[in-house]
Amino acid sequence: MIQVRIDPAIKNVIDNFRLPENLGFGNIMAPIMASCSYENGKWGELEIIPYGPISMYPNAKVLHYAQEIFEGMKAYRIDGKGPFIFRPAENFLRFNRSAERMAMPHIPKDIFLQATFDLIAYCSKVVPSHSGESLYLRPFMFATEEALGIKPSEKFRFMVIASPSGSYFTSEGLSVLIERFAARAFPGGTGFAKAGGNYAASLLAAIKAKNMGYVQTLWLDGRERKYIEEMSGMNFFAVIDGALHTPLLNDSILDGITRRSIMTLAQDKGINVIERKMDIEELLKDIKAERCTEAFACGTAAIIAPINFLAEENGERFPLKNHEGKISIELREDLLALQEGRAKDPYHWVEYIEPKSI
Ligand SMILES: Cc1ncc(COP(=O)(O)O)c(C=O)c1O
């Protein structure tokens, strides 16, 4: 256990916080946040303080060179059970893999977990309670050194903020544009890291997809534009001849915790799971031949989102025959039941967080 400074001012902001009816995703912020600074080669004191603006000098390195990483996790409190958090140690490990790639210091496990757990513990009343709803947690770290030289920062700040959020899920299915031109990531780059810059690089394609009436971008590999990688914030799966196929991880794909959890759940249900390089032309043929009847995207926010159709920029569409997604809906329900503490947890993926008050 580490020493944490709890600002007494958090009592008032928590007591006065009211959850609105309509949550949306990531719009409402929890009334407190965690903060810890890194300087002279070491991490300082972890603080829990009221949520609010932070001040930085305009020459802070993050504002110029994008030395920033983040994570996304969810806490659940359904039917009076919980709050529970799902596989937080995996997010911690991925956070430090991202930190290494972006020339940032590792965060100690106890700071990462204590910050996250304390936010949930003090905000347990802020965790929404309808199925599909959750407290979305956003740990992040950014470079704060005040200097314009293109050198790794020597000062950083780690923070955790949280957002009571509604379900991200739409049952009508995603419409997905295959991105044949731009690349989000490439070999030797930062695609496997959860670095803010990767998301900035995906936004122009998101605008194009939206203007054409689609909601998601499907990224292909950065070298040949031949192999499927992932969506801008979710991993990709397709059901082909009854087996579950997903792109083999490489350094331009994010190693999703939902992806890994789904692979385990599917295998345990007797579904054949195949990780491989997935050629986009082959997949389109398989969709046309109705060998591929289902496809879905997955990630912490949406859990599993079935895909209605893939589309080319010329308007050609490849509808998934079974886009209501028998396998996707079933796996989604299995995973959500675990996360919400409604199902047995043979994998020990779910951790209970004892609520705290001040
Ligand atoms: C680029 C990208 N791929 C995949 C995912 C899914 O990862 P996870 O299941 O750990 O949320 C995310 C979201 O975190 C993401 O940003």
Side-chain angles (χ1 to χ4, degrees):
M1 268 300 191
I2 52 161
Q3 266 310 100
V4 187
R5 189 184 80 80
I6 308 291
D7 183 338
I10 70 167
K11 180 172 167 38
N12 248 341
V13 291
I14 294 170
D15 287 349
N16 292 332
F17 185 83
R18 297 284 168 272
L19 261 185
E21 265 301 297
N22 277 333
L23 293 171
F25 183 83
N27 300 327
I28 313 293
M29 297 313 298
I32 60 173
M33 59 189 187
S35 174
C36 189
S37 294
Y38 178 92
E39 217 179 317
N40 299 322
K42 54 180 194 301
W43 287 99
E45 187 178 45
L46 173 62
E47 300 177 296
I48 307 292
I49 54 183
Y51 180 81
I54 54 174
S55 68
M56 250 189 320
Y57 281 98
N59 63 346
K61 283 191 195 272
V62 64
L63 299 177
H64 303 271
Y65 310 126
Q67 221 184 349
E68 191 271 352
I69 58 168
F70 65 97
E71 268 304 326
M73 311 148 90
K74 277 179 172 176
Y76 294 87
R77 186 175 61 96
I78 310 301
D79 290 338
K81 295 196 201 111
F84 298 116
I85 186 161
F86 187 69
R87 307 190 78 177
E90 297 296 326
N91 294 87
F92 159 72
L93 291 171
R94 189 170 66 188
F95 195 75
N96 276 345
R97 289 200 295 276
S98 299
E100 247 169 57
R101 179 62 183 86
M102 301 307 289
M104 300 168 93
H106 275 189
I107 183 112
K109 190 173 185 178
D110 50 6
I111 296 181
F112 183 93
L113 292 182
Q114 189 74 45
T116 310
F117 291 0
D118 267 358
L119 224 59
I120 301 168
Y122 287 107
C123 274
S124 65
K125 288 202 199 92
V126 171
V127 185
S129 55
H130 298 118
S131 184
E133 296 179 342
S134 59
L135 183 69
Y136 181 80
L137 293 138
R138 170 56 61 86
F140 60 112
M141 190 206 315
F142 53 97
T144 51
E145 186 181 334
E146 300 97 359
L148 292 179
I150 307 181
K151 281 189 284 185
S153 178
E154 295 194 353
K155 285 166 68 178
F156 296 90
R157 188 159 173 189
F158 167 73
M159 300 188 76
V160 187
I161 54 176
S163 171
S165 290
S167 176
Y168 202 73
F169 178 72
T170 61
S171 57
E172 67 199 43
L174 301 176
S175 56
V176 178
L177 180 65
I178 305 164
E179 177 56 62
R180 297 276 186 178
F181 177 71
R184 167 193 177 274
F186 40 83
T190 59
F192 73 92
K194 228 168 145 53
N198 292 339
Y199 299 81
S202 74
L203 296 178
L204 192 58
I207 293 172
K208 178 173 77 181
K210 184 166 181 243
N211 287 342
M212 296 178 77
Y214 308 116
V215 298
Q216 283 284 331
T217 303
L218 182 64
W219 294 103
L220 305 178
D221 74 282
R223 204 195 298 263
E224 296 179 81
R225 310 288 194 283
K226 183 171 160 59
Y227 298 103
I228 297 169
E229 299 232 300
E230 59 177 322
M231 328 290 262
S232 300
M234 290 184 275
N235 292 112
F236 178 84
F237 280 92
V239 180
I240 305 170
D241 293 334
L244 199 52
H245 295 244
T246 190
L248 186 65
L249 294 179
N250 60 42
D251 65 359
S252 50
I253 299 178
L254 192 88
D255 178 359
I257 294 156
T258 317
R259 173 186 178 277
R260 267 196 269 148
S261 308
I262 286 168
M263 288 167 66
T264 304
L265 287 177
Q267 264 155 356
D268 287 358
K269 286 169 82 73
I271 299 170
N272 189 13
V273 178
I274 301 166
E275 277 182 286
R276 62 175 174 93
K277 281 176 90 166
M278 292 182 71
D279 185 320
I280 181 69
E281 307 309 334
E282 227 176 72
L283 180 77
L284 296 179
K285 269 193 215 141
D286 286 345
I287 294 175
K288 273 194 163 161
E290 296 187 2
R291 292 182 57 203
C292 173
T293 51
E294 248 184 87
F296 60 87
C298 71
T300 297
I303 308 178
I304 286 180
I307 293 173
N308 192 346
F309 61 85
L310 300 183
E312 299 278 13
E313 263 178 57
N314 66 9
E316 193 179 2
R317 288 186 176 191
F318 298 83
L320 278 304
K321 187 168 170 243
N322 187 9
H323 80 262
E324 310 271 286
K326 188 175 162 316
I327 292 185
S328 14
I329 300 287
E330 212 177 288
L331 285 169
R332 182 177 200 278
E333 177 44 36
D334 288 354
L335 185 54
L336 190 61
L338 258 171
Q339 292 173 326
E340 293 184 347
R342 292 186 275 115
K344 273 223 177 81
D345 176 22
Y347 315 101
H348 306 290
W349 283 345
V350 175
E351 284 182 42
Y352 170 70
I353 308 289
E354 182 79 43
K356 290 182 183 171
S357 53
I358 175 166

